[in-house]
Amino acid sequence: MRTLIAVALAAALSPFIQAAAYGDDGGPKGTGFQDGRTSGVVLLHSKIVVSGDGLGGKGDGYRVKRPCWYEPGDDADAMLKKQQDVDVYWRHVNPNASEQDHKKHMEQFADKVGQDGRWWTPAFNAADPDGLACWSGLQGAVWVPAGGTPPGGITLEELYQIARAALTVPEPKIQLSPNVKSYVNLPTWVWLTGIGAPTRSVTAELPGIMSATVTANLSRVTIDPGTTSDRAEVKEDCGPTGHPYVKGGAFSCGVRYLRASADQPRRTYTLQVTTVWTVTAAAAGFAYAPVQVAAARDVPVGEVQSIVRDTPRNS
């Protein structure tokens, strides 16, 4: 799966930072975002491409530590041409500028032609509430000699953070046996569906410059029976997705409720199952906490009533 979005110009937000002029060519950009909850990244004015089968699921709220940065952009020739192409636009957003101002603006780009290096341009994570303010405080473009990195230039570590923030995993669906209602001392088997492959990955890439891939592997599940240990006995030898009910099989993943749920709110227990995904990075030296995603189901638990009758004795 490959997710790409086109980013519109936002030059009007800051007359000093002109997106078209400073390297935002309107090409494909990356996102790792989900409806209803921000999982991590929406990249604006960025050349970073985010891709992978770990997009579009459920995130855990991991945030990129720094919401804006500089990225390597055009060489001197390409940047000068872009400035010339948007000359009319520059004059439009700077109506009070004199010809001397315009000449000074163009000279800063013309002076770099023939030099070995490139312009670095600002980008930001719009999923972070501080992203736009951070971006607005950066210069429109920074000239950096070949092999150099400006203060605030994106690093490999930060590219890994972007990949990690975009990483999501499937939301599990809980299956139970018995399915509708359980009973005191009856094993309630637990397993999960809707997960598919137990591995998901996301790559954040600055094409031709550097790339970062993080991978999540479903390692185990944990079970919260929705009540205290004196009311429920939990079995968590579940493997990565639990064990479907098998007649005569060993009960190793699920809950044996010891008390009925009649005295509970809504007369049920709320069973919660959490999937734990171990996260690894393609390069050594980067470590991340697991992604944990939970699902819940109400479990009504009844109690089998037995009736004992006295049997007359023969005299």
Side-chain angles (χ1 to χ4, degrees):
M1 176 177 170
R2 189 175 179 86
T3 300
L4 303 175
I5 61 173
V7 181
L9 299 181
L13 293 173
S14 172
F16 183 70
I17 300 176
Q18 300 173 45
Y22 293 132
D24 189 344
D25 56 7
K29 304 298 180 284
T31 182
F33 189 78
Q34 64 193 64
D35 292 336
R37 182 181 178 189
T38 299
S39 64
V41 294
V42 176
L43 306 178
L44 295 183
H45 306 305
S46 175
K47 294 182 181 296
I48 296 172
V49 177
V50 179
S51 62
D53 60 6
L55 301 174
K58 191 171 182 63
D60 61 348
Y62 180 94
R63 290 179 65 180
V64 178
K65 294 180 181 178
R66 187 162 57 113
C68 70
W69 54 85
Y70 289 105
E71 294 178 7
D74 294 318
D75 62 21
D77 290 329
M79 178 62 88
L80 178 60
K81 183 178 186 307
K82 282 188 175 180
Q83 294 299 319
Q84 293 167 342
D85 290 343
V86 297
D87 183 69
V88 173
Y89 181 77
W90 187 91
R91 292 177 185 274
H92 175 72
V93 297
N94 295 277
N96 298 320
S98 66
E99 283 301 315
Q100 186 64 27
D101 292 333
H102 177 258
K103 181 180 178 182
K104 184 177 180 180
H105 168 74
M106 295 301 295
E107 281 180 348
Q108 65 182 320
F109 301 103
D111 289 347
K112 298 297 185 291
V113 173
Q115 296 186 31
D116 189 11
R118 66 177 60 245
W119 291 94
W120 287 57
T121 54
F124 71 103
N125 176 20
D128 191 306
D130 299 325
L132 180 59
C134 179
W135 174 77
S136 298
L138 298 178
Q139 296 183 52
V142 177
W143 174 259
V144 180
T149 300
I154 192 165
T155 65
L156 180 61
E157 180 180 5
E158 288 172 326
L159 199 62
Y160 267 105
Q161 290 175 15
I162 289 171
R164 172 63 181 85
L167 179 66
T168 64
V169 297
E171 187 170 7
K173 296 179 180 178
I174 300 174
Q175 306 297 325
L176 302 176
S177 181
N179 182 41
V180 178
K181 183 177 183 179
S182 192
Y183 291 90
V184 171
N185 291 322
L186 178 68
T188 302
W189 292 56
V190 174
W191 69 98
L192 303 175
T193 58
I195 291 175
T199 300
R200 294 290 189 277
S201 68
V202 168
T203 297
E205 179 182 13
L206 272 168
I209 299 173
M210 60 182 174
S211 178
T213 299
V214 294
T215 301
N217 292 286
L218 179 55
S219 57
R220 61 190 176 89
V221 301
T222 62
I223 299 174
D224 180 344
T227 187
T228 54
S229 59
D230 61 320
R231 284 177 167 260
E233 176 188 80
V234 178
K235 300 281 189 178
E236 286 189 330
D237 184 10
C238 298
T241 59
H243 305 301
Y245 172 75
V246 176
K247 186 177 181 179
F251 174 58
S252 62
C253 181
V255 182
R256 190 193 310 272
Y257 286 100
L258 308 177
R259 296 272 300 276
S261 60
D263 62 343
Q264 299 297 297
R266 296 181 295 113
R267 303 176 68 84
T268 67
Y269 295 115
T270 300
L271 173 77
Q272 180 171 284
V273 180
T274 302
T275 55
V276 181
W277 298 71
T278 302
V279 180
T280 56
F286 302 102
Y288 303 97
V291 178
Q292 300 189 48
V293 174
R297 268 190 65 171
D298 287 341
V299 182
V301 177
E303 191 162 13
V304 176
Q305 302 291 332
S306 59
I307 300 175
V308 178
R309 296 177 178 174
D310 290 334
T311 301
R313 294 182 180 179
N314 294 328
S315 55

